[in-house]
Amino acid sequence: VGREKNEDALVVNTEKDMFAVIDGMGGMGQGDVAARVLAEELQKGFREGTPIEEVQRKASERMLGYGIVRGGACYTAIQIHGNELYVFRAGDVRLVLADSAHGAIRFETQDEGFSSYVTNAVTGKDPGRTTTAVARLNVSDRIYLASDGLWKNIASKEAVEKTIGMPAEEATQELYRMAIEKMKGERPHAPDNITIVVYDIAKP
């Protein structure tokens, strides 16, 4: 189950503890290209320490060069620095920070939009706003970062509760399985790509 084209992208820089999940806006056309462009600019920005606002601007200019005007991509990028989690985003790629020992959600980003309509994204027409947040990390915390292929099908609370006690890799597989089942269910949701990162905060 899923779209014929993969319009999600994942960016990882383990050297700087930076990660990003990107979701191309497929309904606007060339979502796969927009996601790739934003992924390339984020990877370069992670490596060079470029401000995220500048990354979004460069991605927007490149998208326009591909003829992408209204279309584009949403993303959430994170950096773990000591016991703090820095969040940079535009759109509806959601991050959930939970206490994996008790299943309590301690922090969650809010979607910038409603239903399938987003109010903030990196597009060829506009680089979008950079929404930022900082959350304090505990050693029992687990980060869930995923495109809306997961969150349209599985509520945040259910995702956390169903995966308590599972190793991160197993939790990722279980969430993917749950979302696919919902897409194939009696009242199926529209097919979508699913990208999931589950990251446990290790003890120092």
Side-chain angles (χ1 to χ4, degrees):
V1 176
R3 292 176 174 161
E4 291 182 3
K5 293 187 294 185
N6 181 15
E7 295 172 337
D8 284 2
L10 175 65
V11 180
V12 177
N13 184 318
T14 55
E15 184 177 323
K16 295 189 177 181
D17 276 339
M18 300 185 79
F19 308 86
V21 169
I22 301 158
D23 188 349
M25 298 164 65
M28 308 299 286
Q30 297 192 77
D32 56 332
V33 177
R36 175 176 57 79
V37 166
L38 184 52
E40 289 171 354
E41 291 300 329
L42 281 167
Q43 185 68 273
K44 183 179 178 183
F46 287 175
R47 187 172 60 248
E48 298 178 357
T50 307
I52 295 293
E53 294 87 352
E54 179 67 9
V55 169
Q56 290 184 204
R57 186 188 65 78
K58 289 181 177 179
S60 174
E61 290 176 353
R62 285 187 59 197
M63 288 178 194
L64 194 58
Y66 281 101
I68 302 169
V69 181
R70 294 177 61 227
C74 302
Y75 81 99
T76 292
I78 62 173
Q79 181 173 27
I80 299 166
H81 186 70
N83 63 349
E84 290 186 318
L85 175 68
Y86 293 87
V87 184
F88 312 90
R89 56 194 301 270
D92 60 358
V93 174
R94 192 182 310 171
L95 176 139
V96 174
L97 178 65
D99 179 344
S100 60
H102 303 97
I105 294 176
R106 300 203 308 105
F107 173 82
E108 181 174 5
T109 59
Q110 299 301 309
D111 293 350
E112 296 177 315
F114 51 90
S115 185
S116 59
Y117 179 77
V118 295
T119 55
N120 185 26
V122 181
T123 72
K125 188 177 181 180
D126 189 337
R129 303 181 310 278
T130 304
T131 303
T132 62
V134 182
R136 182 165 289 274
L137 295 170
N138 299 324
V139 294
S140 61
D141 282 344
R142 169 171 279 182
I143 296 167
Y144 298 82
L145 177 59
S147 59
D148 66 357
L150 175 69
W151 303 120
K152 283 190 301 187
N153 293 286
I154 308 295
S156 304
K157 184 177 179 181
E158 181 183 8
V160 174
E161 290 179 348
K162 293 287 188 181
T163 57
I164 284 179
M166 290 183 182
E169 183 176 352
E170 186 178 335
T172 303
Q173 294 170 350
E174 176 62 12
L175 291 173
Y176 180 82
R177 184 196 63 77
M178 290 166 60
I180 291 295
E181 281 192 358
K182 286 286 182 71
M183 287 186 192
K184 292 180 176 178
E186 293 180 3
R187 297 180 180 178
H189 290 215
D192 203 353
N193 303 130
I194 306 171
T195 301
I196 305 168
V197 174
V198 178
Y199 186 95
D200 289 328
I201 303 302
K203 294 181 179 180

